């Protein structure tokens, strides 16, 4: 027995199923799955530049006969939707399993989405584990199901399943030969002449899946009182069991397709049937569509965020749960850029420009928060570049502020590149700032094409961002050290005052790479308590309670020297020069 997170269990399940290849783009809460899989014996794994590419690599490898695991967060499924929908026509060669990991409550996401809708829309079967043992078992079986029904199979998870550790009985790896490839245009070339017959194949498969799901072992009924019956799946199942000890429960292990007849029979066996789910009304609507009457809650459940046993009990007008709820009134700890983060000084300078700033997704999105507050928009990966072009198109009629797009290196590789090509093609202007911190920091420092590090440390090469941008046709391309206030100010001023499209690459490594640390800075007697250094928002800087003078925490300060550049009184000095907090 081992204690595994859902993500670790999914990786183990894929390995036990003999998966040969893993390919993904990182995204919370899915990221660790591929990282764990990549360390297993006898597998190949790689980070792709985005989820669409990951799925396409997966479909190719599957067509060639390999068993493939691909993983992504819910918004990654949007990016990958194009190949996924058509892979549900072509079917597979070797088993193809896709983890879609949702984030109800948006712990680390720009929206909350329920990936169940994708299963239904793309007609891809979806398995919904409720704990790590099921995550392992379902993933292992999903490879067989994928080959049996000739279709990719989704494993659905949420942050609660992916990140909670529960006991797991692991097994051994079943080796599978990579099947020999035989070309078959009618299966793999999805032009209308071949896609039309494949659509018929898909429709027949849907019927087959619908009858299979009526009796498959993944759906379970726990009979208790006949008064209340609950239909649920995934993490919510564990909450329901805890919150409603009297209720009978239909636990869906397969959430698409639904077992219409089995649900009807269950509904007939209880007085009132409720559906409990997070994030959307997918299950409620789907159960209703099976011809089952779904009762309304006495007190409606919240429609956003994660559920908990307490919330479920409240919906039934029951008392407090027997377990302890999280204590209230805990002091908030908003996220902040790390002490010494190279993004900080850049945003400090950017905020002085009074520009319109289209932002993007990464650690640098924190530049939107006080005291930096240097971001007007953040929508999806790559959008900074395309939205800045949109702003330029519309604003030139009403507003003459410069427009600046801000994007990280990994995000630029993910989808910023195609946006930039489109801006160049359409003769767009504006300034694009690429914050190249030499890693994909936000999700845990994964490799990307611009640092050249591969998942299994196989040889690669580092793409030169400036050369790539020049090759796309941008003429004004600059390279700047984001820790140098004067250089950042000059570059931003120059780039935003010309009318042509400018790209500035701000290059300096994330401080968490190799835990970069120089001797800490200290504050000397000459500090006038003006507070300018605190406008950087560095967590290492606070105030002395007695004098209001600045105080630098020597344990947090990594000696980047950004704050010293903003002290007009020369009061922030190196350790050797001495200071108040020695
Ligand atoms: C479509 C999609 N895939 C994945 C993610 C998860 N994610 C958020 S930011 C990010 C990468 C950030 O790396 P980078 O652009 O280099 O910025 P950094 O965090 O290093 O500053 C990822 C993978 C996401 N939000 N959306």
């Amino acid at each position: 027995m081992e204690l595994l997170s859902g993500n670790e269990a999914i990786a183990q399940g894929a390995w036990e199923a003999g998966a040969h290849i893993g390919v993904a783009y990182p995204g919370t809460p899915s990221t660790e799955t591929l990282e764990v899989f990549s360390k297993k014996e006898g597998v190949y794994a790689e980070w792709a530049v985005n989820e669409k590419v990951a799925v396409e690599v997966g479909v190719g490898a599957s067509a060639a006969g390999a068993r493939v695991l691909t993983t992504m967060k819910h918004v990654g499924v949007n990016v990958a939707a194009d190949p996924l929908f058509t892979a549900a026509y072509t079917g597979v060669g070797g088993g193809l399993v896709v983890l879609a990991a949702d984030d109800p409550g948006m712990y680390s996401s720009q929206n909350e989405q329920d990936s169940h809708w994708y299963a239904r829309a793309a007609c891809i079967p979806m398995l919904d584990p409720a704990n790590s043992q099921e995550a392992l078992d379902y993933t292992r079986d999903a490879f067989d199901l994928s080959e049996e029904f000739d279709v990719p199979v989704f494993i659905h998870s949420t942050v609660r399943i992916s990140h909670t550790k529960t006991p797991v009985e692991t097994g051994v790896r079943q080796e599978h030969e990579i099947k020999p490839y035989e070309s078959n245009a009618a299966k793999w070339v999805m032009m209308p002449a071949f896609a039309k017959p494949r659509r018929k194949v898909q429709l027949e498969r849907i019927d087959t899946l619908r009858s299979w799901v009526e009796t498959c072992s993944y759906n379970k009924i726990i009979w208790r009182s006949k008064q209340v019956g609950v239909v649920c799946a995934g993490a919510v199942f564990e909450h329901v069991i805890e919150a409603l000890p009297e209720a009978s429960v239909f636990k869906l292990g397969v959430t698409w397709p639904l077992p219409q007849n089995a649900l009807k029979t269950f509904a007939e066996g209880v007085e009132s049937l409720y559906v409990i789910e997070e994030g959307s009304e997918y299950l409620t609507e789907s159960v209703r569509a099976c011809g089952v009457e779904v009762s309304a809650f006495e007190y409606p459940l919240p429609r956003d965020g994660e559920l908990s046993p307490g919330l479920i009990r409240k919906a039934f007008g029951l008392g407090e749960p027997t377990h302890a709820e999280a204590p209230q009134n805990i002091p908030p700890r908003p996220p902040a850029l790390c002490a010494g983060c190279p993004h900080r000084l850049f945003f400090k300078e950017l905020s002085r420009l009074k520009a319109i700033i289209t932002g993007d997704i990464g650690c640098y999105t924190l530049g939107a928060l006080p005291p930096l507050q240097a971001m007007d928009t953040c929508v999806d990966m790559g959008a900074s570049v395309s939205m800045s072009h949109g702003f330029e198109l519309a604003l030139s009629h009403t507003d003459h502020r410069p427009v600046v797009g801000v994007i990280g290196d990994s995000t630029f590789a993910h989808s910023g590149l195609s946006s930039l090509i489109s801006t160049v093609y359409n003769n767009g202007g504006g300034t694009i700032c690429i914050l190249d911190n030499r890693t994909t920091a936000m999700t845990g420092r994964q490799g990307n094409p611009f640092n050249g590090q591969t998942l299994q440390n196989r040889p690669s090469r580092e793409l030169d961002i400036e050369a790539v941008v020049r090759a796309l046709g941008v003429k004004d391309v600059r390279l700047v050290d984001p820790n140098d206030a004067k250089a950042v100010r000059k570059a931003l001023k120059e780039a935003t005052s010309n009318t042509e499209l400018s790209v500035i690459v701000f290059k300096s490594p994330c401080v968490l790479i190799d835990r970069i640390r120089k001797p800490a800075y200290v504050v000397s007697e000459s500090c006038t308590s003006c507070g300018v250094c605190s406008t950087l928002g560095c967590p290492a800087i606070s105030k002395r309670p007695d004098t209001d003078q600045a105080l630098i925490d020597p344990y947090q300060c990594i000696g980047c020297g950004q704050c010293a550049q903003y002290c007009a009184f020369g009061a922030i000095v190196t350790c050797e020069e001495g200071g108040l907090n020695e």
Side-chain angles (χ1 to χ4, degrees):
M1 202 58 105
E2 287 178 51
L3 206 52
L4 296 184
S5 69
N7 283 347
E8 290 167 332
I10 291 166
Q12 175 72 17
W15 180 76
E16 289 181 17
H20 308 98
I21 293 171
V23 55
Y25 182 70
T28 311
S30 70
T31 312
E32 306 80 22
T33 315
L34 195 70
E35 289 176 331
V36 172
F37 179 78
S38 74
K39 295 192 176 78
K40 306 243 177 232
E41 194 65 30
V43 302
Y44 172 85
E46 68 179 32
W47 292 124
V49 294
N50 64 38
E51 295 84 352
K52 175 179 184 288
V53 171
V55 167
E56 289 160 353
V57 171
V59 173
S62 159
R67 286 192 154 193
V68 185
L69 173 71
T70 176
T71 67
M72 62 204 68
K73 70 183 286 158
H74 57 294
V75 280
V77 187
N78 302 338
V79 179
D82 201 6
L84 278 172
F85 273 65
T86 305
Y89 278 37
T90 62
V92 302
L96 176 59
V97 174
V98 181
L99 167 65
D102 292 357
D103 185 8
M106 291 177 271
Y107 292 96
S108 190
S109 303
Q110 66 267 39
N111 71 8
E112 50 180 27
Q113 270 179 212
D114 182 353
S115 295
H116 290 110
W117 298 106
Y118 273 107
R120 179 156 124 190
C123 305
I124 293 178
M126 181 172 260
L127 305 185
D128 241 280
N131 54 47
S132 298
Q133 183 69 62
E134 287 185 357
L136 187 156
D137 296 344
Y138 288 13
T139 308
R140 185 195 54 222
D141 296 0
F143 285 89
D144 291 335
L145 296 171
S146 171
E147 288 171 10
E148 181 184 340
F149 295 110
D150 189 21
V151 68
V153 172
F154 272 128
I155 297 289
H156 178 257
S157 122
T158 55
V159 68
R160 211 48 45 190
I161 299 295
S162 279
H163 287 172
T164 303
K165 294 201 174 200
T166 59
V168 172
E169 202 76 67
T170 56
V172 293
R173 180 167 164 93
Q174 298 294 321
E175 291 295 347
H176 282 261
E177 290 290 303
I178 295 188
K179 297 176 188 169
Y181 173 67
E182 280 171 34
S183 83
N184 180 353
K187 178 171 163 64
W188 291 106
V189 181
M190 287 302 94
M191 57 200 271
F194 295 138
K196 284 179 191 176
R198 284 308 295 182
R199 171 72 171 137
K200 302 254 187 260
V201 170
Q202 183 185 50
L203 292 171
E204 276 167 30
R205 181 201 297 135
I206 293 172
D207 294 341
T208 314
L209 283 165
R210 285 200 170 125
S211 45
W212 165 79
V213 81
E214 291 291 349
T215 53
C216 76
S217 60
Y218 305 101
N219 298 324
K220 287 191 182 80
I221 298 178
I222 296 145
W223 281 114
R224 297 191 288 195
S225 145
K226 304 270 159 120
Q227 256 180 326
V228 171
V230 173
V231 178
C232 57
V236 175
F237 164 75
E238 304 286 3
H239 299 330
V240 168
I241 288 292
E242 194 173 328
L244 307 173
E246 304 291 312
S248 294
V249 181
F250 195 122
K251 176 190 180 297
L252 289 163
V254 180
T255 40
W256 190 86
L258 292 191
Q260 185 170 0
N261 297 331
L263 282 168
K264 273 188 184 157
T265 313
F266 177 69
E268 280 157 17
V270 294
E271 277 170 40
S272 317
L273 181 132
Y274 296 86
V275 176
I276 303 185
E277 62 184 321
E278 283 170 335
S280 86
E281 300 209 322
Y282 164 77
L283 274 183
T284 310
E285 283 185 17
S286 306
V287 170
R288 281 206 178 109
C290 292
V292 171
E293 196 184 322
V294 177
S295 304
F297 295 106
E298 197 174 339
Y299 306 95
L301 274 169
R303 288 188 295 169
D304 57 346
E306 276 191 301
L307 293 183
S308 67
L311 289 171
I312 293 169
R313 282 180 71 81
K314 268 192 200 145
F316 286 85
L318 300 170
E320 288 301 305
T322 46
H323 74 284
E325 287 285 2
Q328 302 297 307
N329 305 326
I330 298 174
R333 281 199 302 163
L337 295 170
C338 302
C341 173
H343 299 333
R344 176 173 286 107
L345 188 153
F346 161 77
F347 278 112
K348 167 84 184 149
E349 288 302 322
L350 189 58
S351 67
R352 304 172 108 172
L353 269 190
K354 307 281 175 272
I356 307 253
I357 301 155
T358 56
D360 221 303
I361 304 187
C363 289
Y364 52 91
T365 317
L366 294 171
L369 299 180
L372 300 164
Q373 282 175 295
M375 203 169 282
D376 287 88
T377 66
C378 170
V379 175
D380 68 300
M381 290 190 79
S384 56
V385 182
S386 9
M387 283 184 68
S388 98
H389 180 52
F391 264 96
E392 282 263 315
L393 291 177
L395 268 188
S396 53
H397 302 284
T398 58
D399 193 323
H400 297 289
R401 278 181 286 169
V403 180
V404 179
V406 180
I407 187 164
D409 48 343
S410 185
T411 307
F412 185 60
H414 179 281
S415 42
L417 266 168
S418 45
S419 300
L420 189 60
I421 293 172
S422 198
T423 304
V424 172
Y425 164 53
N426 290 297
N427 212 14
T431 300
I432 302 300
C433 299
I434 305 176
L435 307 188
D436 178 7
N437 61 355
R438 320 299 302 130
T439 191
T440 312
M442 174 94 172
T443 42
R445 282 163 287 137
Q446 292 76 22
N448 72 51
F450 296 117
N451 71 9
Q453 283 160 18
T454 57
L455 182 54
Q456 291 178 317
N457 295 320
R458 291 170 203 267
S460 174
R461 68 205 134 134
E462 190 182 306
L463 275 190
D464 176 344
I465 296 196
E466 290 161 80
V468 168
V469 171
R470 280 206 178 87
L472 296 184
V474 182
K475 299 225 165 48
D476 182 15
V477 184
R478 297 149 197 256
L479 178 67
V480 174
D481 175 2
N483 298 299
D484 179 342
K486 281 195 187 125
V488 173
R489 199 169 308 154
K490 181 168 178 285
L492 283 174
K493 206 168 163 213
E494 285 175 7
T496 52
S497 39
N498 64 32
T499 49
E500 67 176 321
L501 175 65
S502 304
V503 172
I504 315 175
V505 179
F506 292 95
K507 190 169 180 175
S508 181
C510 164
V511 290
L512 297 180
I513 303 176
D514 303 330
R515 305 275 158 179
I516 301 165
R517 228 186 154 97
K518 288 188 230 151
Y521 275 72
V522 292
V523 179
S524 76
E525 284 291 357
S526 50
C527 173
T528 62
S529 318
C530 71
V532 168
C533 55
S534 65
T535 61
L536 277 160
C538 177
I541 301 176
S542 60
K543 278 183 182 172
R544 295 183 79 90
D546 45 349
T547 61
D548 261 7
Q549 285 173 305
L551 182 67
I552 296 178
D553 177 354
Y555 298 105
Q556 288 201 63
C557 176
I558 64 128
C560 70
Q562 290 182 11
C563 55
Q565 297 174 66
Y566 289 91
C567 182
F569 307 96
I572 300 180
V573 291
T574 56
C575 291
E576 296 89 59
E577 291 163 305
L580 291 178
N581 57 347
E582 268 186 311

